[in-house]
Amino acid sequence: MELDLSGMHQLAAEQGIDPEALDEALSEALRLAYMKTPHAAKHARVALDNRAGTFTVWAQDEIPGEPTEENPHPAPTLGEEYDDTPRDFGRLAAATARQVFTQLFRKAEDDRVFGAFSGQKGKLVTGIVQQDVKDPTNVHIAIGDVEAILPRREQVPGERYRHGERLRVYVVNVARGLKGPEIVVSRSHPELVRQLFEREVPELVSGAVSIMAIAREAGARTKIAVRANTDGVNPKGALIGPGGARVRAVMENLGPEKIDIVDWSADPAKFVASALSPAVATGVQVISEKNKTAIAFIHDDQLSLAIGKEGQNARLAAKLTGWKIGIESAEAHAKKQQSAE
């Protein structure tokens, strides 16, 4: 039975498909197609002749074994192979070949996409918003000729994504899914903020300054703790930039989200005090280093600033430092100490 094998091999080579993989898949698919034809033998194989551009179905019949006293139910043996290629098999064979080639082409394309994006995990990429009316929950992001998914859990509350809008996103995961590579991106991940700063701040790339911790409530506020690794470098100044240009460039990508940049310290008391910025702590008492609990003392006129709207500033400070932070009035604490004396 004729089949344009040379043409298929040429197309396979152009698409980066291994010819041996094509022959294996095609032989098995043709065998399965043969097994569905009337009066098909139970045992068969398909042999491809690439030079002649033909294939043959070689079948074998079962020959019942002669029962003996020792073996009353012997297993059947297989007879000689014979050509059992159906005469009217041409149309079915061509359809099967097309299906096999399409599947291999899709797999090769999926492998290419997966290979290209597996190294992008944990990186910042730019894409174009593509709305899908069949999938209103997720936002589809076109990154080159590949489509990524921005699921609801990775979206920023209140942020609107307009069709055709260019958007910077963080690649959370690249995995093989049932329908091909699944690329999940995020707008709410804290690392998005880190990488936006790395694009604007040369000192981060050179290692002169490090971002030690990030706490983020996407769409509202982010706190970043920084330290200098080189003498004479102001870490907060490096991220803020001349006239605030660098932090402003980052904030343009985040909408109305505010950014607090604070000094990191290996001293828990100093770090906790710094994390509560813009409020100024008069002192911090470490209650337990093991349980990471501390109390910060704040002047009465700055208590609301230290706590923040709905507790946001205190919550982000705790997340940034990894410590449970109690906030008390500095004036009330001073009175307690005086009365104790």
Side-chain angles (χ1 to χ4, degrees):
M1 185 69 65
E2 290 186 3
L3 199 63
D4 187 10
L5 294 172
S6 60
M8 292 185 70
H9 279 180
Q10 186 177 348
L11 280 172
E14 290 173 1
Q15 301 300 332
I17 299 171
D18 180 29
E20 288 186 11
L22 173 61
D23 286 350
E24 268 184 46
L26 187 55
S27 296
E28 179 59 14
L30 289 170
R31 187 188 72 81
L32 292 174
Y34 160 79
M35 298 300 284
K36 293 177 182 177
T37 61
H39 314 297
K42 285 186 178 180
H43 304 276
R45 66 181 180 87
V46 173
L48 303 178
D49 187 333
N50 291 320
R51 288 185 179 180
T54 62
F55 71 92
T56 305
V57 178
W58 294 102
Q60 288 177 287
D61 292 328
E62 291 184 350
I63 302 172
E66 291 290 334
T68 62
E69 289 185 8
E70 292 80 11
N71 187 7
H73 304 289
T77 57
L78 296 178
E80 292 290 325
E81 284 189 330
Y82 61 94
D83 184 349
D84 196 33
T85 309
R87 290 182 181 179
D88 57 348
F89 203 42
R91 186 177 296 176
L92 180 59
T96 301
R98 281 196 300 271
Q99 185 180 17
V100 167
F101 190 79
T102 300
Q103 289 173 345
L104 286 175
F105 174 76
R106 188 179 294 122
K107 183 179 182 299
E109 181 64 13
D110 288 349
D111 288 344
R112 183 190 69 78
V113 172
F114 183 81
F117 267 86
S118 58
Q120 295 295 315
K121 183 179 177 181
K123 293 185 178 179
L124 195 68
V125 296
T126 301
I128 298 173
V129 175
Q130 305 288 314
Q131 297 292 358
D132 189 340
V133 292
K134 296 180 181 178
D135 187 13
T137 303
N138 303 315
V139 177
H140 293 242
I141 308 290
I143 305 169
D145 57 352
V146 178
E147 198 165 86
I149 297 295
L150 176 62
R152 186 179 291 278
R153 68 178 183 277
E154 299 293 347
Q155 296 171 23
V156 175
E159 199 168 58
R160 296 289 174 263
Y161 307 104
R162 297 181 299 276
H163 183 83
E165 175 188 7
R166 289 181 67 82
L167 200 66
R168 281 179 173 170
V169 291
Y170 177 78
V171 181
V172 177
N173 195 33
V174 180
R176 294 185 186 274
L178 294 175
K179 297 181 180 179
E182 291 182 352
I183 302 163
V184 179
V185 296
S186 175
R187 282 285 295 168
S188 61
H189 202 287
E191 287 298 310
L192 174 78
V193 180
R194 181 194 297 273
Q195 298 210 7
L196 285 171
F197 269 108
E198 287 177 354
R199 284 175 172 250
E200 302 293 336
V201 183
E203 290 87 345
L204 286 174
V205 179
S206 69
V209 173
S210 295
I211 293 175
M212 303 301 292
I214 300 176
R216 186 181 184 202
E217 291 191 0
R221 198 177 203 96
T222 290
K223 280 185 181 287
I224 300 176
V226 294
R227 78 167 184 189
N229 302 316
T230 304
D231 292 340
V233 175
N234 178 350
K236 288 198 293 186
L239 267 67
I240 293 169
R246 292 173 178 176
V247 71
R248 196 161 50 246
V250 170
M251 291 174 72
E252 284 176 2
N253 285 277
L254 300 176
E257 188 170 325
K258 294 181 174 64
I259 296 177
D260 294 336
I261 302 169
V262 305
D263 287 317
W264 178 87
S265 175
D267 182 335
K270 288 182 180 178
F271 191 18
V272 166
S274 177
L276 287 168
S277 173
V280 178
T282 61
V284 174
Q285 181 181 349
V286 173
I287 305 300
S288 170
E289 288 198 16
K290 182 181 178 182
N291 297 324
K292 291 190 173 183
T293 54
I295 296 175
F297 302 107
I298 310 289
H299 284 301
D300 288 345
D301 61 349
Q302 291 200 353
L303 280 174
S304 60
L305 190 63
I307 296 168
K309 185 180 179 181
E310 297 177 352
Q312 185 186 78
N313 194 61
R315 190 165 58 247
L316 282 171
K319 198 183 293 186
L320 186 73
T321 59
W323 281 63
K324 297 174 185 175
I325 305 171
I327 296 175
E328 291 188 9
S329 161
E331 285 79 3
H333 178 66
K335 287 179 181 177
K336 281 182 186 178
Q337 286 185 318
Q338 286 176 358
S339 61
E341 292 174 0

